[in-house]
Short mmCIF file of all heavy atoms in Angstrom, two decimals:
data_model
loop_
_atom_site.label_atom_id
_atom_site.label_comp_id
_atom_site.label_asym_id
_atom_site.label_seq_id
_atom_site.Cartn_x
_atom_site.Cartn_y
_atom_site.Cartn_z
N ASP A 208 -3.76 9.35 23.55
CA ASP A 208 -4.08 9.66 24.94
C ASP A 208 -2.83 9.73 25.80
O ASP A 208 -2.71 10.57 26.68
CB ASP A 208 -5.04 8.61 25.51
CG ASP A 208 -6.48 8.87 25.11
OD1 ASP A 208 -6.77 10.00 24.68
OD2 ASP A 208 -7.30 7.94 25.20
N LEU A 209 -1.91 8.81 25.54
CA LEU A 209 -0.67 8.79 26.31
C LEU A 209 0.04 10.14 26.23
O LEU A 209 0.47 10.70 27.23
CB LEU A 209 0.25 7.69 25.79
CG LEU A 209 1.58 7.54 26.53
CD1 LEU A 209 1.34 6.96 27.92
CD2 LEU A 209 2.55 6.66 25.77
N ARG A 211 -1.34 12.94 25.57
CA ARG A 211 -2.14 13.93 26.30
C ARG A 211 -1.80 13.91 27.78
O ARG A 211 -1.79 14.95 28.43
CB ARG A 211 -3.64 13.67 26.10
CG ARG A 211 -4.16 14.19 24.78
CD ARG A 211 -5.63 13.85 24.60
NE ARG A 211 -6.50 14.55 25.54
CZ ARG A 211 -7.75 14.16 25.80
NH1 ARG A 211 -8.25 13.08 25.23
NH2 ARG A 211 -8.49 14.85 26.65
N SER A 214 0.73 16.16 28.62
CA SER A 214 0.44 17.53 28.17
C SER A 214 1.25 17.91 26.95
O SER A 214 1.71 19.04 26.82
CB SER A 214 0.71 18.54 29.29
OG SER A 214 0.05 18.16 30.48
N LYS A 223 6.67 13.68 17.14
CA LYS A 223 7.15 12.49 17.85
C LYS A 223 6.32 11.25 17.56
O LYS A 223 6.81 10.14 17.70
CB LYS A 223 7.17 12.76 19.36
CG LYS A 223 8.20 13.80 19.73
CD LYS A 223 8.50 13.80 21.20
CE LYS A 223 9.35 14.99 21.59
NZ LYS A 223 10.70 14.93 21.00
N PRO A 227 6.65 9.94 12.49
CA PRO A 227 7.36 8.66 12.37
C PRO A 227 6.43 7.50 12.06
O PRO A 227 6.81 6.59 11.31
CB PRO A 227 8.02 8.47 13.74
CG PRO A 227 7.67 9.64 14.58
CD PRO A 227 6.92 10.61 13.77
N MET A 306 15.28 3.12 11.34
CA MET A 306 14.27 3.45 12.34
C MET A 306 13.98 2.26 13.24
O MET A 306 13.23 2.38 14.21
CB MET A 306 12.98 3.90 11.67
CG MET A 306 13.04 5.28 11.07
SD MET A 306 11.49 5.69 10.26
CE MET A 306 10.45 6.03 11.67
N GLY A 307 14.52 1.08 12.88
CA GLY A 307 14.25 -0.10 13.69
C GLY A 307 12.90 -0.71 13.39
O GLY A 307 12.39 -1.52 14.14
N ARG B 54 -10.01 7.60 33.66
CA ARG B 54 -9.77 8.65 32.65
C ARG B 54 -10.17 10.02 33.16
O ARG B 54 -9.57 11.03 32.78
CB ARG B 54 -10.52 8.32 31.35
CG ARG B 54 -9.91 7.12 30.60
CD ARG B 54 -10.74 6.71 29.39
NE ARG B 54 -10.79 7.74 28.37
CZ ARG B 54 -9.86 7.90 27.44
NH1 ARG B 54 -8.81 7.10 27.40
NH2 ARG B 54 -9.96 8.86 26.55
N LEU B 59 -8.54 12.88 31.01
CA LEU B 59 -8.78 12.49 29.62
C LEU B 59 -10.27 12.59 29.30
O LEU B 59 -10.66 12.64 28.14
CB LEU B 59 -8.28 11.05 29.37
CG LEU B 59 -6.76 10.86 29.42
CD1 LEU B 59 -6.39 9.39 29.36
CD2 LEU B 59 -6.08 11.62 28.29
N ARG B 78 -2.34 17.18 36.10
CA ARG B 78 -1.58 16.66 34.97
C ARG B 78 -0.39 17.56 34.67
O ARG B 78 0.72 17.09 34.43
CB ARG B 78 -2.48 16.57 33.74
CG ARG B 78 -1.69 16.24 32.50
CD ARG B 78 -2.41 16.62 31.24
NE ARG B 78 -3.50 15.70 30.98
CZ ARG B 78 -4.38 15.88 30.01
NH1 ARG B 78 -4.29 16.93 29.22
NH2 ARG B 78 -5.34 15.02 29.82
N TYR B 93 6.72 2.85 21.05
CA TYR B 93 6.96 3.25 19.67
C TYR B 93 7.94 2.27 19.03
O TYR B 93 9.06 2.11 19.53
CB TYR B 93 7.56 4.66 19.61
CG TYR B 93 6.61 5.77 20.02
CD1 TYR B 93 5.31 5.48 20.44
CD2 TYR B 93 7.01 7.09 19.96
CE1 TYR B 93 4.44 6.49 20.80
CE2 TYR B 93 6.14 8.11 20.32
CZ TYR B 93 4.86 7.80 20.74
OH TYR B 93 4.01 8.81 21.10
N TRP B 95 9.75 2.50 16.55
CA TRP B 95 10.96 3.10 15.99
C TRP B 95 11.89 3.65 17.06
O TRP B 95 12.91 4.25 16.75
CB TRP B 95 10.59 4.22 15.00
CG TRP B 95 9.71 5.27 15.59
CD1 TRP B 95 10.12 6.38 16.27
CD2 TRP B 95 8.29 5.32 15.57
NE1 TRP B 95 9.04 7.10 16.69
CE2 TRP B 95 7.91 6.49 16.26
CE3 TRP B 95 7.29 4.50 15.04
CZ2 TRP B 95 6.57 6.84 16.44
CZ3 TRP B 95 5.97 4.86 15.22
CH2 TRP B 95 5.62 6.02 15.91
N GLU B 107 11.48 13.86 27.37
CA GLU B 107 11.75 14.80 26.28
C GLU B 107 10.69 15.90 26.26
O GLU B 107 11.00 17.09 26.17
CB GLU B 107 11.67 14.08 24.93
CG GLU B 107 12.93 13.34 24.54
CD GLU B 107 12.70 12.50 23.29
OE1 GLU B 107 11.79 12.83 22.50
OE2 GLU B 107 13.42 11.50 23.13
N ILE B 108 9.43 15.46 26.34
CA ILE B 108 8.33 16.42 26.24
C ILE B 108 8.33 17.35 27.45
O ILE B 108 8.01 18.53 27.34
CB ILE B 108 6.99 15.67 26.09
CG1 ILE B 108 6.96 15.00 24.71
CG2 ILE B 108 5.81 16.60 26.26
CD1 ILE B 108 5.88 13.99 24.53
N TRP B 138 10.07 -4.92 19.46
CA TRP B 138 9.74 -6.23 18.88
C TRP B 138 10.68 -7.32 19.35
O TRP B 138 10.38 -8.51 19.20
CB TRP B 138 9.72 -6.16 17.34
CG TRP B 138 11.02 -5.71 16.72
CD1 TRP B 138 11.36 -4.43 16.39
CD2 TRP B 138 12.13 -6.53 16.35
NE1 TRP B 138 12.61 -4.40 15.86
CE2 TRP B 138 13.11 -5.68 15.81
CE3 TRP B 138 12.39 -7.90 16.42
CZ2 TRP B 138 14.34 -6.14 15.35
CZ3 TRP B 138 13.62 -8.35 15.96
CH2 TRP B 138 14.57 -7.47 15.43
N ARG B 152 7.99 3.60 31.67
CA ARG B 152 7.77 4.89 31.02
C ARG B 152 6.84 5.76 31.88
O ARG B 152 7.04 6.97 32.00
CB ARG B 152 7.17 4.64 29.64
CG ARG B 152 6.90 5.87 28.82
CD ARG B 152 6.36 5.50 27.45
NE ARG B 152 5.13 4.72 27.57
CZ ARG B 152 4.50 4.15 26.55
NH1 ARG B 152 4.99 4.25 25.33
NH2 ARG B 152 3.41 3.48 26.74
#
Side-chain angles (χ1 to χ4, degrees):
Chain A
D208 279 343
L209 181 71
R211 280 177 68 197
S214 308
K223 293 196 190 294
M306 286 178 76
Chain B
R54 290 174 64 84
L59 291 172
R78 172 201 286 173
Y93 291 2
W95 55 87
E107 278 172 25
I108 291 167
W138 58 268
R152 182 178 58 187

